[in-house]
Amino acid sequence: MLEMVDKEYIRKKHFVEGWSIRKISRNLKVARQTIRKALNDSHIPHYQLTKEKPSPVLDPYKEI
């Protein structure tokens, strides 16, 4: 799995320096499909809570 640093490196080499997908794939030893996915995925991942975490110790005092 690629980290955000790797994705930024791939995007820089492709869009700024003009490297081909094949050249990036050879240098990083990563599949071309993975390179294409990194190029298409431009958003920064954000963490979202699915449900609120319980706090049994502080619950009685939250209103204060």
Side-chain angles (χ1 to χ4, degrees), residues 1-13 24 28 30 34-35 38-39:
M1 179 161 183
L2 294 177
E3 295 180 8
M4 199 64 198
V5 175
D6 300 325
K7 288 182 182 181
E8 287 301 317
Y9 179 79
I10 289 169
R11 293 177 63 77
K12 178 184 173 198
K13 291 296 180 185
I24 298 169
L28 293 180
V30 178
T34 308
I35 302 296
L39 291 173

Side-chain angles (χ1 to χ4, degrees), residues 18-51:
W19 285 19
S20 67
I21 293 173
R22 182 172 285 200
K23 184 175 180 179
I24 298 169
S25 176
R26 267 189 261 129
N27 285 347
L28 293 180
K29 295 179 177 56
V30 178
R32 287 179 294 183
Q33 282 183 326
T34 308
I35 302 296
R36 285 188 188 98
K37 285 180 186 177
L39 291 173
N40 290 333
D41 184 27
S42 62
H43 74 282
I44 298 171
H46 294 286
Y47 179 76
Q48 286 186 327
L49 287 174
T50 54
K51 59 182 179 179

